[in-house]
Every structure is written in structure tokens, then in C-alpha cells.
Amino acid sequence: LNATQQAVVAATQYSAEFAIDESPPDGLLGLAFQSIANTDSSPVFTTLVNQGQTTSPVFGVTLLDNGGELFLGGTDTTAFTGSLTFAPLIVTDPPAFWEISVSGASVGNTRVVTRAQNAIVDTGTTLLIVDPTSANEIHARIPGARSAGQGLFTIPCNEIPSDVSLTIADKAFTLSADTLNFGPIEEGSNECVSGIMGANEGESDYCL
């Protein structure tokens, strides 16, 4: 696919999160909307759609440790089983993020967050970020979970649950234990960092 007259920005300085010794950068591809682009230019996928390069104005992302994929211009039906769930997009003025509604969160059969909240679907966010109240409510139902400060929580590494779920478009999406386990707080520790943290993001209540 060829995008012509596409804005590209060269970074002269990396933030600490992209330190070369931690995560050698090979570039970032913005997939949100033009209003939050530093250049106020059309994002590359929007450019491709506007220039008729795609057969469908749809893209998909498969996030894996190995073999991940960005699929432009349609749906890769080999990347999933079952049927797709469609959630209405919350359109702000101007459009900024891929934002949807999460109607609640559960641990096992217990609904621990019952209020609907907006959520940004963001492939560049490592942890699932929720508001501090929701983070406390979720971890209060997880045996052995405790606050580690700065919005982070720990869970015993040998007791990572596999029954934490978020409800989107009336369907519960369960987080696997591997997804919820962000790894030990330090080498040899029996305490693992939870993949859910609490923070006041401002733009939305959740960042998925």
C-alpha cells in the first residue's frame, strides 16, 4: 500500500520509556485521529483510505510475543476464532481516540465495577489502566493482591487469577492469567505486578 504526501516525523530525543538500552526503537505508527497528531496531519491509515489504497476502511491488530500483525484494509479471519463483537465508537469533537464504552468489570461471578465508563483502545499502552477506585475494587476481590504504590498492585505469582473480565457491548471478555501477570516485581520474587493499574488519565476512565 502506498501513501503519498504522508507526513513523517523524525525524533531527535527519546523519552525515558523508549530508552535505547531498554527498548531499541524502530518507530511509532499512529493509528488514532488527526486532531492529536503533533503535525496536525492525516494519519497514515486515513491517508491510505482517502487515497483509495484499501479495499475496506478497517484495520486490525494481533498482539503476540511473536508473530504479531497489523492488518490494513480489512479483517484477517485467520487471526481469531468465533465471531467478532462490535462496540459503538464514542465520537468526540474533534475525533481523537478509538474510544468505546466498558459497562463493568467482574472477578469470577462477582460484579465489582457496575458503572459504565469510557475506554480508549490503545495498542501502545502496556498496562490496562483504570481509574483508582475501579482498580481498588477489582484487586480487593483478588486473593493476595495488594497495593504497591503509584497505582500499581501485586498478586502472588502462583495465584494469578484467570477469571477477571471486562464487559464490552454486553459481552464479558476474560483476561487470561498470562495477560494479567506482568511479571515478578524483581528477580526471584513470589510477588508479580498486576496488569491492571489505577491512574487518573483525564481523557477517559479506562485505557485498554
Side-chain angles (χ1 to χ4, degrees), residues 4-133:
T4 60
Q5 299 297 311
Q6 176 62 48
V8 178
V9 176
T12 57
Q13 181 178 351
Y14 293 122
S15 63
E17 291 81 4
F18 291 96
I20 291 178
D21 58 341
E22 292 288 336
S23 176
D26 56 6
L28 295 175
L29 180 66
L31 291 170
F33 293 91
Q34 181 170 341
S35 67
I36 61 172
N38 288 337
T39 59
D40 193 32
S41 301
S42 170
V44 64
F45 185 67
T46 303
T47 300
L48 291 171
V49 172
N50 291 341
Q51 294 178 358
Q53 292 290 304
T54 63
T55 55
S56 175
V58 175
F59 69 86
V61 178
T62 304
L63 299 177
L64 301 171
D65 290 335
N66 294 289
E69 176 187 68
L70 170 63
F71 195 89
L72 299 172
T75 302
D76 182 1
T77 56
T78 68
F80 63 92
T81 58
S83 59
L84 292 173
T85 297
F86 291 88
L89 185 67
I90 297 172
V91 181
T92 57
D93 185 19
F97 300 96
W98 294 103
E99 195 165 345
I100 60 175
S101 177
V102 175
S103 60
S106 300
V107 178
N109 294 323
T110 303
R111 185 100 160 180
V112 294
V113 180
T114 59
R115 57 196 176 280
Q117 301 175 58
N118 294 351
I120 293 171
V121 182
D122 178 21
T123 59
T125 299
T126 307
L127 298 173
L128 195 160
I129 304 172
V130 304
D131 68 278
T133 299

